[in-house]
Amino acid sequence: MAERTGGLPSTVLLTAWCALVAHRTGQDVCVAAVPTSNRFHDRLARAVNTVSQDALLALDVRVPSFDALLAKAWGAALDAYRHSRFDAVALWEMIDRTTFERGSRFARDVVLNDVSALSEAGGTEPDGPDLELGRGPSQVLPTRLLAFVHETAPLLRIGLWADPALFAPDETEGFLTGLVRLLEAAAEGDVPLASLTGVTGVRPVERGPDWIRVDGSWVSPPAVADALVGALGGVPVHVTADGAGDGLTAFVAAGGGDSGTPPAPAEVHAALMRVLPGRPGVLAPRRYVIVQGPPEEADRTDAWLRRPLLTEGDGRTPADPDTTTNADLT
C-alpha cells in the first residue's frame, strides 16, 4: 500500500484506522488521540515526568475513497502534532467546564499509539501465516478503543484493546481483521469508502430510529428524557431536537398555581448533572422549557409547545439572563 501510493507506512495505517473507526461508529469525522513525544526541547531531555502527550487528530472522512482520505491524513496529523503543546491546567479547566455544560465526561475514547519507531525488527519478511490473532490477558483501560502499533515492517504487529461493553470478543477480532483486509485491498487499488462493510466485514453500529447526532455525538432523546425524569423525581419530561438540529430542548412539566414555584432551568440542569456524566447516549439539553402541566399527548412536541410557558433558559448559570416568566409575558 505504501509502495502504491507513495505514502509513509505510518500515515497509511493511520488512514485505515480512521476510516474503519468512523465507519464502525457512523461518524463523519474520526477524532483520535495520537500520543507524541514531548521531548521536543533540549531543556526537557532530563525532565522527570511523562515522556509523551496527546495530539488530538480530527480527520474528516467525507471523501469518496481511501486514496482521497490518505491525501488528507498527513496534513491532519501535522495539525494535530502542531497543536499538541498545551497548558495542562487550562485544559482541565476547559474539560471541567465542558463536562458541566454537556454532561459528558472527557475520555480518550479512541487512541492510536504508534510505537513502531522503537522496534528493532528488520531484515526480509519472514515466513509465517498471513494473519495470526492471539488473545492477551483481560484488563480494564480508560478508553473505548486503543491500538498499539508495535511494528510495521517486515510484519505488521498491532495490539488492540476494545471496551467489552461496546465490542463482543468476536467483534474485537473482526475489527482487527477488518483493518488488515482494508490495508490489503488498498494495496491492490483505491477502495471506495462506501464499500467498507463488504471489504472489511465490519458493520456500522446499529442504533434505533430515535437516535440523532448532536454536537458530534450520537444521542438518544428518550434516554435523555429518562435520565431527566429520574433526576427530577418522576416529573413528566419531553426531549426533542431543537429547531437548528444541533442541540436538544427539554420540556419539563411543573404544577404551577397553588403547587408552588416552578423550578428554574438552572435547578433542572443541576439535577441532571447529579446523575450525569457517564451515561452512553445521553447529553444535556441546550435549553430547558418549563411549562404548566404536561399535555395529554405527551409524546408530541407541538402539544408541549401549546402548554402555558412558565420559564425557560439554558440552565448553565444560576440566574439565566434569557429566562422568561409569565410576568414577562403579561
Side-chain angles (χ1 to χ4, degrees):
M1 173 64 197
E3 293 178 358
R4 184 182 72 78
T5 62
L8 294 172
S10 59
T11 307
V12 170
L13 184 57
L14 175 66
T15 303
W17 170 261
C18 283
L20 202 57
V21 167
H23 172 69
R24 158 81 186 192
T25 58
Q27 291 283 23
D28 295 331
V29 179
C30 172
V31 178
V34 283
T36 180
S37 172
N38 65 9
R39 304 306 165 115
F40 39 73
H41 285 312
D42 291 341
R43 59 186 173 82
L44 295 175
R46 297 178 62 83
V48 180
N49 59 4
T50 58
V51 296
S52 68
Q53 61 192 44
D54 284 345
L56 191 62
L57 172 79
L59 180 58
D60 192 324
V61 301
R62 287 172 290 185
V63 293
S65 69
F66 187 92
D67 284 8
L69 188 61
L70 177 61
K72 297 173 59 177
W74 176 241
L78 284 180
D79 280 344
Y81 295 133
R82 184 163 58 91
H83 294 100
S84 64
R85 295 177 60 187
F86 50 80
D87 182 320
V89 174
L91 175 65
W92 278 103
E93 288 175 347
M94 181 182 68
I95 289 172
D96 290 341
R97 184 173 64 253
T98 303
T99 298
F100 175 75
E101 291 176 353
R102 299 178 84 242
S104 62
R105 193 185 307 280
F106 169 79
R108 299 164 78 241
D109 288 331
V110 178
V111 183
L112 180 67
N113 192 8
D114 188 345
V115 294
S116 59
L118 304 178
S119 173
E120 297 180 355
T124 60
E125 185 164 333
D127 295 331
D130 292 333
L131 178 62
E132 183 178 278
L133 296 174
R135 285 191 173 276
S138 298
Q139 55 185 320
V140 176
L141 298 174
T143 184
R144 300 293 191 181
L145 193 63
L146 165 66
F148 276 94
V149 183
H150 297 288
E151 189 178 343
T152 57
L155 291 175
L156 176 61
R157 189 163 58 91
I158 300 177
L160 178 69
W161 184 90
D163 186 345
L166 301 178
F167 290 81
D170 60 328
E171 290 179 316
T172 302
E173 293 183 0
F175 189 91
L176 190 54
T177 301
L179 182 64
V180 174
R181 288 175 176 171
L182 175 56
L183 290 168
E184 290 175 341
E188 298 297 326
D190 198 5
V191 177
L193 296 188
S195 68
L196 285 184
T197 298
V199 170
T200 67
V202 176
R203 296 182 177 276
V205 174
E206 294 184 5
R207 299 181 177 92
D210 293 328
W211 285 74
I212 58 175
R213 193 158 50 195
V214 173
D215 199 16
S217 300
W218 282 102
V219 179
S220 168
V224 176
D226 288 344
L228 196 49
V229 168
L232 297 175
V235 171
V237 169
H238 175 71
V239 176
T240 186
D242 64 20
D246 58 356
L248 298 174
T249 296
F251 294 88
V252 179
D258 297 333
S259 63
T261 303
E267 294 175 305
V268 176
H269 184 71
L272 182 59
M273 290 304 100
R274 285 193 287 270
V275 299
L276 295 182
R279 284 181 151 184
V282 177
L283 286 182
R286 288 194 177 183
R287 195 157 194 81
Y288 299 93
V289 179
I290 318 301
V291 301
Q292 185 171 340
E296 291 185 2
E297 297 176 294
D299 60 337
R300 295 178 59 90
T301 301
D302 58 346
W304 283 88
L305 286 168
R306 290 193 293 269
R307 298 301 300 159
L309 175 65
L310 300 178
T311 183
E312 64 177 336
D314 63 19
R316 271 48 172 187
T317 55
D320 287 305
D322 56 349
T323 292
T324 303
T325 66
N326 276 346
D328 299 322
L329 299 174
T330 57

